[in-house]
């Protein structure tokens, strides 16, 4: 078996069939589909998994399990998988035509451990963004050759992985947490013998209510600090923290300040987490403003960073409110 396509499922009855169809439409006979019903409670998603599997019984496995969160569902699928490579597809998303063919061709040319690819952002059937593979210019490489690869969006769904990277290095997705991808993808990059990328979008990312980036539960954003503690511990144990300190500093700016802080202040500009984020940066990345990667920030991000450092949270919230009103 060449590919195992793991699809975690939780209360996605309105999206799952389209997701499944996009996988079946890839063609070929060298892949399996693993639907992991993570304790769905909508009364339909679990049964839908079984109905879809009956339409392709030779290549589809269904696992029904108690709810353990996205990371746990991926891990269960990973353990059951038989493929040399694993691809994770969120069940409210879909694959674009030709992905598996492109992966087969790239593997024949490179035998890479990880293959990155681009994606489109789908707002209810309207494609508003197209993201191409940022790492295509690197060719086929190891992380030490292009450490800036750590700065690419860490989403699990935008790349193919050799399954042994997980199994041989005891790397798994954490369960019941936010930010499971940033805790995991950098570790896989560090262990990969070779990484490469496709130069086109092959994944459809659906924007819908309820995702982490749209979730109003501001307090859970504290988990981004736990994610960076996890990364620091793991990379330090591997004696790799210092070699990638600049990259992790930029990641911290991006994910703690420019992402998590903004999500929190858009909900509550007086939330105590905002000061906690700044305190964490000052104590764990005391020289973060000297990071050479900050010069590459877009001008609007530099402005937001300056306002964050000055504690002008209400101003930032007003700017985003204005931006959102214009977008409408």
């Amino acid at each position: 078996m060449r590919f195992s396509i793991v699809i975690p499922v939780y209360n996605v009855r309105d999206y799952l069939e389209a997701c499944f169809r996009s996988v079946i439409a890839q063609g070929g006979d060298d892949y399996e589909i693993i639907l992991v019903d993570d304790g769905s409670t909508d009364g339909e998603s679990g049964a839908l998994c079984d109905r879809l599997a009956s339409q392709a019984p030779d290549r589809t496995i269904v696992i029904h399990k108690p709810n353990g969160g996205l990371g746990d569902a991926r891990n269960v699928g990973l353990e059951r998988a038989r493929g040399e490579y694993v691809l994770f597809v969120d069940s409210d998303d879909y694959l674009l035509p030709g992905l598996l063919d492109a992966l087969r061709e790239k593997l024949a040319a490179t035998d890479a451990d990880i293959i990155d690819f681009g994606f489109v952002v789908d707002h209810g059937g309207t494609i508003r963004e197209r993201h191409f593979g940022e790492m295509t210019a690197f060719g086929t490489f190891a992380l030490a050759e292009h450490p800036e690869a750590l700065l690419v969006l860490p989403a699990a769904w935008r790349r193919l992985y050799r399954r042994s990277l997980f199994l041989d290095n005891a790397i798994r997705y954490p369960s019941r947490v936010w930010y499971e991808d940033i805790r995991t993808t950098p570790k896989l990059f560090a262990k990969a013998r070779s990484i490469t990328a496709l130069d086109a979008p092959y994944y459809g990312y659906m924007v819908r209510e309820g995702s982490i980036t749209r979730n109003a539960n501001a307090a859970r954003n504290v988990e981004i600090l736990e994610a960076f503690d996890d990364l620091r511990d793991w990379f330090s144990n591997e004696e790799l923290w210092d070699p990638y300190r600049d990259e992790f500093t930029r990641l911290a700016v991006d994910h703690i300040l420019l992402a998590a802080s903004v999500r929190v202040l858009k909900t509550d500009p007086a939330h105590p987490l905002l000061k906690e984020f700044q305190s964490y940066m000052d104590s764990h990345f005391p020289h973060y403003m000297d990071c050479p990667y900050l010069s590459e920030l877009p001008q609007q991000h530099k402005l937001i960073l300056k306002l964050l450092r000055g504690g002008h949270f209400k101003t930032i919230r007003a700017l985003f409110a204005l931006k959102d009103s214009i977008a409408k």
Side-chain angles (χ1 to χ4, degrees):
M1 186 69 63
R2 197 74 182 283
F3 305 110
S4 292
I5 301 173
V6 177
I7 307 176
V9 175
Y10 181 74
N11 293 356
V12 285
R13 59 192 180 190
D14 295 332
Y15 301 91
L16 179 58
E17 184 163 1
C19 174
F20 184 83
R21 299 285 177 216
S22 76
V23 176
I24 289 293
Q26 294 293 311
D29 58 3
D30 58 350
Y31 68 93
E32 63 179 356
I33 303 170
I34 303 176
L35 296 169
V36 184
D37 171 29
D38 189 37
S40 294
T41 59
D42 61 3
E44 295 184 37
S45 292
L48 180 56
C49 287
D50 294 328
R51 289 199 299 274
L52 292 172
S54 70
Q55 298 170 20
D58 293 339
R59 70 172 66 206
T60 308
I61 298 168
V62 178
I63 301 171
H64 297 285
K65 60 179 287 298
N67 179 258
L70 176 59
D72 185 63
R74 287 177 181 162
N75 294 338
V76 168
L78 181 70
E79 296 290 346
R80 182 70 176 270
R82 296 175 295 160
E84 181 181 3
Y85 294 89
V86 62
L87 181 70
F88 298 104
V89 182
D90 287 355
S91 51
D92 51 354
D93 296 337
Y94 56 91
L95 300 183
L96 297 179
L99 172 58
L100 291 189
D101 283 340
L103 291 172
R104 293 179 185 110
E105 183 177 347
K106 182 64 78 169
L107 286 171
T110 66
D111 193 36
D113 288 341
I114 296 176
I115 302 179
D116 186 80
F117 44 84
F119 61 97
V120 299
V121 180
D122 187 329
H123 291 253
T126 300
I127 305 301
R128 296 187 182 177
E129 300 174 38
R130 295 182 183 273
H131 296 265
F132 294 81
E134 298 99 315
M135 299 192 294
T136 53
F138 302 161
T140 301
F141 65 98
L143 184 61
E145 298 171 306
H146 286 284
E148 64 268 36
L150 285 172
L151 306 182
V152 174
L153 182 71
W157 43 257
R158 65 165 301 175
R159 46 191 59 96
L160 179 80
Y161 309 91
R162 193 182 298 273
R163 192 162 61 96
S164 60
L165 287 176
F166 292 91
L167 304 181
D168 294 349
N169 298 293
I171 296 173
R172 297 294 188 275
Y173 291 95
S175 302
R176 298 189 183 282
V177 300
W178 282 12
Y179 305 108
E180 68 278 335
D181 290 348
I182 197 171
R183 293 179 185 231
T184 310
T185 300
K187 300 171 187 176
L188 296 167
F189 275 28
K191 289 297 185 180
R193 172 183 50 84
S194 58
I195 305 168
T196 192
L198 303 175
D199 60 359
Y202 283 105
Y203 189 94
Y205 174 78
M206 291 286 290
V207 175
R208 69 183 182 99
E209 297 297 331
S211 68
I212 287 178
T213 54
R214 300 172 69 84
N215 195 304
N217 187 354
R220 288 207 63 180
N221 282 280
V222 72
E223 294 178 40
I224 190 60
L225 304 185
E226 298 164 7
F228 272 88
D229 286 342
D230 180 325
L231 286 173
R232 179 187 289 270
D233 290 345
W234 190 90
F235 275 81
S236 294
N237 288 337
E238 296 287 329
E239 299 183 351
L240 290 173
W241 181 259
D242 286 338
Y244 298 116
R245 184 180 296 274
D246 285 343
E247 287 73 29
F248 281 116
T249 300
R250 169 62 192 270
L251 278 175
V253 170
D254 287 348
H255 291 273
I256 297 174
L257 294 180
L258 295 175
S261 288
V262 168
R263 279 195 288 272
V264 171
L265 67 82
K266 287 173 73 173
T267 300
D268 178 7
H271 200 289
L273 259 184
L274 296 169
K275 291 184 178 179
E276 185 174 347
F277 287 151
Q278 187 62 62
S279 176
Y280 185 93
M281 292 297 298
D282 290 339
S283 61
H284 291 78
F285 300 94
H287 306 293
Y288 71 89
M289 289 303 297
D290 297 326
C291 176
Y293 286 110
L294 294 193
S295 64
E296 301 172 6
L297 283 173
Q299 287 300 318
Q300 62 181 6
H301 289 181
K302 290 180 180 178
L303 173 61
I304 296 301
L305 182 58
K306 182 177 181 180
L307 292 171
L308 284 170
R309 284 171 54 79
H312 303 296
F313 304 137
K314 292 183 179 179
T315 301
I316 299 172
R317 188 186 192 192
L319 289 173
F320 276 95
L322 177 60
K323 179 181 177 182
D324 291 344
S325 67
I326 292 174
K328 294 178 182 179

